[in-house]
Amino acid sequence: MLPTIQISSEIHVPTYYLVICVVVALCLLWIVRRSRQKNLNATLTLDLSLLIMVFGFIGGRLFHVFYENLNYYQENYLRILYFWDGGFVFYGGALLSGAVGIGYLYFKAHDQMEKYLDLLAPVLALGYGLGRIACFLAGCCYGRACDLPWAVSGKHPAQLYAVLWELGVVLTLIGLEKARSEIKLIMAPGRIFYTWMIFHGVGRLIMESFRDDFRGPTVGFSISSWISWGLIILGLLLLWKKPLDSNG
């Protein structure tokens, strides 16, 4: 674990935010490049990415505040603004930014909305996967007790399991894209994104099964597990409704 990097006796840089900043910059560069390669509007893509960043930050923070630790923030509502102390929930950010992003695409590029979703899919997988490195360094989202050779401080490195899974998802989605272009397999727009939904949901369920940190109030499963099941089911339904051949 390396929660901070000491620059001087008075300056300490939180590795969590450092990693997140680097990951966001990489993802922005990649998605703009991808948009140009696929002849999609780079300006619209960048605007969409910025919306996802802003509302992902807000949603992740608010989900933590109102779901995980409301009593603490009710003592002093100004603490909600102390985001540097930590406290974010990925799915909170994903749900809010997803709703805003889809709404933006609906009004700005309705006819190409699913093409932009496919554009986002591998970038989202990469951003989430590399972002879990920040969790590992900060020591949050830790796993259950473990005596296996790869245990870290006697616990499952659940964060690194997520990193490996999502990097595999990135490679799989890129492979599907290449199959579509090189083998001339005509896959209807949206299928790449819906596939990501399924893979991400499965990967998150695996990670949840290893985690041992506070998961908030549960009803059989953690809220993250329920959302993951929802993603998997919705992704399967959307794939089932979407024809393989967009011309058929």
Side-chain angles (χ1 to χ4, degrees), residues 3 59 77 80 114 143 151 153 169 219 239:
Y77 284 107
I80 296 175
E114 289 179 313
S153 299
V169 172
V219 183
L239 275 181

Side-chain angles (χ1 to χ4, degrees), residues 3-4 14-17 20 57-58 60-66 68-69 72-73 78-90 134-135 138-141:
T4 62
T15 51
Y16 181 92
Y17 293 109
I20 293 299
F57 180 89
I58 295 172
R61 182 63 172 170
L62 292 180
F63 201 99
H64 161 73
V65 169
F66 291 102
E68 288 189 337
N69 209 0
Y72 172 77
Y73 292 99
L78 283 177
R79 289 174 177 170
I80 296 175
L81 303 178
Y82 300 166
F83 61 87
W84 51 85
D85 289 336
F88 293 91
V89 176
F90 171 77
C135 297
C140 62
C141 308

Side-chain angles (χ1 to χ4, degrees), residues 20-246:
I20 293 299
C21 288
V22 172
V23 170
V24 167
L26 289 174
C27 288
L28 283 174
L29 290 172
W30 191 28
I31 198 168
V32 171
R33 181 181 179 185
R34 279 173 54 79
S35 68
R36 290 170 177 162
Q37 290 173 337
K38 298 181 181 302
N39 297 316
L40 293 173
N41 189 313
T43 301
L44 189 152
T45 300
L46 187 56
D47 290 344
L48 174 64
S49 301
L50 293 174
L51 284 173
I52 291 173
M53 288 167 49
V54 171
F55 285 95
F57 180 89
I58 295 172
R61 182 63 172 170
L62 292 180
F63 201 99
H64 161 73
V65 169
F66 291 102
Y67 176 73
E68 288 189 337
N69 209 0
L70 181 58
N71 290 336
Y72 172 77
Y73 292 99
Q74 283 179 326
E75 295 174 2
N76 181 0
Y77 284 107
L78 283 177
R79 289 174 177 170
I80 296 175
L81 303 178
Y82 300 166
F83 61 87
W84 51 85
D85 289 336
F88 293 91
V89 176
F90 171 77
Y91 269 141
L95 292 174
L96 182 58
S97 63
V100 172
I102 289 174
Y104 177 77
L105 285 175
Y106 182 85
F107 288 106
K108 288 289 188 176
H110 178 68
D111 294 338
Q112 293 186 303
M113 182 167 68
E114 289 179 313
K115 290 184 179 180
Y116 281 97
L117 293 179
D118 284 349
L119 179 75
L120 282 168
V123 182
L124 292 173
L126 180 68
Y128 175 82
L130 295 183
R132 284 298 178 186
I133 296 176
C135 297
F136 176 73
L137 293 174
C140 62
C141 308
Y142 52 84
R144 293 182 281 105
C146 171
D147 58 3
L148 295 170
W150 56 82
V152 177
S153 299
K155 297 181 181 295
H156 281 283
Q159 315 95 323
L160 299 185
Y161 296 164
V163 174
L164 293 174
W165 177 271
E166 290 294 331
L167 291 180
V169 172
V170 173
L171 295 176
T172 301
L173 296 180
I174 295 299
L176 289 174
E177 286 188 343
K178 291 187 67 176
R180 179 163 60 184
S181 60
E182 293 183 4
I183 306 176
K184 305 304 180 184
L185 175 64
I186 302 175
M187 291 177 64
R191 292 183 66 90
I192 299 292
F193 184 80
Y194 304 147
T195 300
W196 169 76
M197 290 172 62
I198 297 167
F199 283 158
H200 179 78
V202 171
R204 186 58 189 265
L205 286 175
I206 294 172
M207 182 185 179
E208 288 292 309
S209 70
F210 285 104
R211 286 178 67 168
D212 197 37
D213 57 321
F214 176 65
R215 311 302 302 123
T218 61
V219 183
F221 295 105
S222 67
I223 186 64
S224 295
S225 294
W226 283 113
I227 294 173
S228 297
W229 280 114
L231 271 182
I232 295 169
I233 294 170
L234 180 59
L236 288 171
L237 288 174
L238 290 169
L239 275 181
W240 177 66
K241 293 180 64 177
K242 179 67 63 173
L244 179 65
D245 186 338
S246 59

